[in-house]
Amino acid sequence: MNILGIETSCDETAASVVKNGKTVLSNTVASSLSHHEKYGGVIPEIASRKQLESIHAVVDEAITSSGCPLKKIDAIAVTEGPGLLGSLLVGTSYAKAVSFALKKPLMPVNHVKAHLYANFLTLPGNASRPAPKLPAIGLIVSGGHSSIYFLEDYTHYELLGQTRDDAAGEAFDKVARILGLGYPGGPIIDRLAKEGKNTRIKFSPSRLDSFDFSFSGTKTAVLYYHQQHRQDPDYQAAQVACSFQQSVISILIEKSIQACLAKSCKTLLAGGGVAANSALRAGLLEASARQGIKAYFPPLPFCMDNAAMVAGYAYHQMKEE
Ligand code: KG4
Ligand code: ZN
């Protein structure tokens, strides 16, 4: 079964064709990021206008490069939320029109669940990548969400905990802004933090009793530190970035492992833009291995917003209907 996926929940316009919920035949992503950079964050009105301009070309490219003609598409999947309202409207309207024209079913997909599903995707020629075993614990860390789920199977998720304030990616973006590093902050801090290892600066993470997180205290601690010390001769932004990153990832790792132990799960799935973070990937793999847990991360292109995860997830939703 070939599913055309469409994703427009934030600044990306993405389309993809996925075969049998697994093999990614095409993955086209257009980003309007360069139009938001000067504002230090995504401007919803700009995002939706750019999506309206590009969606037709993006879907066209995804179909052409998949080698699967429109007449062989069996269903259309689209992100229905959560996301920016205007952006979602562009994707869902377009998907409805394609579904109507092709007389094929339309599958609305939850963006957060799709992010975790990205762990089950493979590129053609890489079919040997072993599929994670379920049940699992899912850690979703993106610009808009930070949550821990128990995944009973592909489509049944139980929310165990979530952020009480900023999402992890949002905290990276805000700290990068405080340090004057640019947007989006996650990849910049990830790179810079490597130069700041062995720092003596410490930003302790907030420790809540549940599986919830809170990052705004750490972000404020960085702000105060930066304001008080930026003129010091030995001040190094790389050390601040490293300590901040360590604080965020240490609590993500700790809570994910605790959730695995609480639910007796031997599989841990990460997803979302922050799952591209090199320190989180290394730390989670190491901590999981110590507990006999197998941790998975999506291939890098499938950590960020993409439509392959949407098309892949929809396959399992359809099987249930
Ligand atoms: O999943 P995503 O593409 O969009 C949302 O659904 O939000 O995630 C974007 C977020 C941004 O906040 C970005 O700064 C963060 O993911 N991000 C990273 C890294 N790459 C992207 N955060 C930390 N380290 C990275 N390497
Ligand atoms: Zn996302």
Side-chain angles (χ1 to χ4, degrees):
M1 175 182 281
N2 299 311
I3 301 185
L4 167 67
I6 295 177
E7 152 68 44
T8 60
S9 66
C10 192
D11 62 303
E12 279 94 0
T13 311
S16 164
V17 179
V18 176
K19 190 176 175 184
N20 297 335
K22 192 170 178 217
T23 312
V24 182
L25 301 181
S26 66
N27 182 38
T28 308
V29 184
S31 169
S32 60
L33 201 63
S34 59
H35 298 273
H36 306 283
E37 270 166 1
K38 66 176 169 199
Y39 303 106
V42 173
I43 307 294
E45 183 65 23
I46 297 178
S48 56
R49 282 172 189 263
K50 292 290 164 199
Q51 281 157 333
L52 203 52
E53 281 168 25
S54 61
I55 191 155
H56 186 69
V58 167
V59 172
D60 212 34
E61 164 65 22
I63 292 289
T64 310
S65 57
S66 72
C68 173
L70 267 181
K71 61 176 189 291
K72 288 200 172 162
I73 294 291
D74 301 296
I76 323 298
V78 63
T79 300
E80 63 164 347
L84 304 173
L85 217 57
S87 294
L88 291 168
L89 202 57
V90 174
T92 49
S93 308
Y94 195 91
K96 270 185 196 168
V98 178
S99 144
F100 184 73
L102 297 181
K103 299 189 177 61
K104 298 291 177 187
L106 179 70
M107 295 303 300
V109 169
N110 176 287
H111 181 80
V112 177
K113 291 180 176 178
H115 262 305
L116 288 175
Y117 187 78
N119 284 288
F120 295 92
L121 297 172
T122 59
L123 290 162
N126 190 16
S128 56
R129 184 179 137 91
K133 288 199 175 81
L134 294 172
I137 290 298
L139 170 70
I140 160 88
V141 272
S142 74
H145 310 275
S146 295
S147 336
I148 295 186
Y149 286 92
F150 172 60
L151 283 74
E152 207 180 315
D153 55 36
Y154 287 116
T155 54
H156 293 95
Y157 287 40
E158 179 195 344
L159 180 66
L160 300 180
Q162 61 189 329
T163 181
R164 297 210 184 151
D165 37 61
D166 293 338
E170 189 182 356
F172 272 90
D173 294 337
K174 286 179 175 168
V175 163
R177 190 187 217 170
I178 291 168
L179 302 180
L181 298 174
Y183 176 83
I188 306 172
I189 290 186
D190 190 349
R191 274 196 304 276
L192 188 65
K194 292 187 178 124
E195 297 164 26
K197 277 190 179 153
N198 306 321
T199 177
R200 289 207 304 278
I201 308 166
K202 290 275 171 286
F203 300 117
S204 305
S206 307
R207 283 210 157 69
L208 306 173
D209 285 341
S210 59
F211 289 116
D212 285 353
F213 326 102
S214 164
F215 299 116
S216 77
T218 312
K219 174 196 66 191
T220 309
V222 172
L223 173 69
Y224 290 158
Y225 183 89
H226 178 71
Q227 285 174 342
Q228 285 162 18
H229 296 282
R230 71 183 149 189
Q231 309 290 6
D232 295 356
D234 59 348
Y235 176 89
Q236 284 182 34
Q239 294 195 347
V240 180
C242 182
S243 175
F244 159 74
Q245 176 174 277
Q246 194 47 40
S247 170
V248 171
I249 69 167
S250 66
I251 201 76
L252 292 174
I253 295 168
E254 193 179 303
K255 298 267 169 169
S256 306
I257 300 292
Q258 274 172 12
C260 286
L261 298 177
K263 289 286 190 180
S264 306
C265 277
K266 290 287 176 197
T267 308
L268 174 58
L269 307 176
V274 184
N277 184 275
S278 56
L280 177 63
R281 290 172 94 97
L284 210 50
L285 283 171
E286 197 187 310
S288 304
R290 257 188 267 125
Q291 300 288 345
I293 298 162
K294 183 121 181 59
Y296 293 83
F297 295 88
L300 280 181
F302 303 137
C303 284
M304 315 304 170
D305 286 348
N306 67 87
M309 64 187 194
V310 176
Y313 183 80
Y315 174 78
H316 295 280
Q317 261 186 192
M318 282 187 79
K319 282 215 301 199
E320 283 199 348
E321 285 198 345

